[in-house]
Amino acid sequence: MLASIRLPLNTIKGCFRAINPRLLHSTSILEMPISVGDKVPSVDLYEASPANKVNIAELCAKKKVIIFAVPGAFTPGCSKTHLPSYVSNADNLKGKGVDEIVCVAVNDPFVMEAWGVAQNAKGKIRMLADTKAEFTKAVELDMDIAPLGGVRSKRYSMVVENGTVQSINVEPDGTGLSCSLADRIGV
């Protein structure tokens, strides 16, 4: 008689991350987005220009950071609701111990910088460009949105403390505005 073994999901995910994915067929167990208890992957993002690399894992080390992602800069839901919710709540969130608030989008750093300026995010939100969707794919929250140019990020928010995800809210359809807004994030 075989005994059943129960392992936490993060343990199982860690085991599969160590295996070269090219050697395996795609299965649902390998397609698990980042979750509570996972470390933020070490990926370079860009702030304001291609010359200004920001390693997201290093940014989150020894800090409490909110990372939220949007499908696209200057898009209606992102510009009218999502980013403004963090801009208007930045002081409140920082008053609760948040060191940094980071907005990530699959875009170029010049567009992210211009969008931040247009939204009065300067000094409140760090606008980081995921130019090749490397971070977005590493956290497995990418989706194909052809009308926006292809691979984009799902809409989500997460609290990261000392490099480890403490909470994460992913919009059920990847683009809605139900759970990832600033007033719904617990810090």
Side-chain angles (χ1 to χ4, degrees):
M1 177 172 253
L2 294 173
S4 66
I5 299 173
R6 295 180 188 246
L7 296 172
L9 187 56
N10 288 341
T11 302
I12 295 167
K13 285 172 60 176
C15 292
F16 282 99
R17 284 187 180 144
I19 298 172
N20 184 339
R22 290 181 295 207
L23 301 177
L24 300 172
H25 292 287
S26 178
T27 63
S28 61
I29 197 164
L30 294 177
E31 297 172 3
M32 293 179 277
I34 194 167
S35 60
V36 172
D38 288 347
K39 288 286 191 186
V40 171
S42 180
V43 177
D44 289 333
L45 302 175
Y46 300 88
E47 188 171 34
S49 83
N52 193 12
K53 288 183 184 180
V54 177
N55 183 284
I56 194 71
E58 291 172 10
L59 175 71
C60 293
K62 299 179 183 176
K63 290 182 183 176
K64 187 177 207 176
V65 179
I66 292 174
I67 300 171
F68 70 99
V70 297
F74 290 106
T75 58
C78 305
S79 291
K80 292 178 184 173
T81 307
H82 206 191
L83 178 55
S85 80
Y86 284 92
V87 171
S88 64
N89 284 291
D91 291 337
N92 182 39
L93 292 167
K94 289 180 180 180
K96 292 180 179 180
V98 173
D99 297 299
E100 301 265 7
I101 303 171
V102 174
C103 177
V104 175
V106 177
N107 223 312
D108 72 72
F110 300 112
V111 168
M112 290 298 288
E113 174 75 3
W115 188 40
V117 169
Q119 292 286 323
N120 298 313
K122 205 86 160 154
K124 296 179 180 184
I125 313 294
R126 292 187 71 175
M127 307 297 289
L128 301 184
D130 188 7
T131 58
K132 295 185 283 184
E134 289 175 336
F135 176 73
T136 300
K137 289 177 182 177
V139 297
E140 298 181 37
L141 290 169
D142 55 303
M143 60 192 283
D144 187 0
I145 306 176
L148 296 183
V151 175
R152 294 295 178 140
S153 178
K154 291 181 179 179
R155 190 183 305 277
Y156 66 86
S157 62
M158 70 172 90
V159 177
V160 178
E161 197 160 353
N162 298 319
T164 301
V165 177
Q166 300 300 307
S167 66
I168 184 162
N169 303 304
V170 181
E171 294 295 343
D173 67 353
T175 60
L177 290 161
S178 64
C179 67
S180 62
L181 299 173
D183 64 349
R184 298 201 176 97
I185 196 160
V187 288

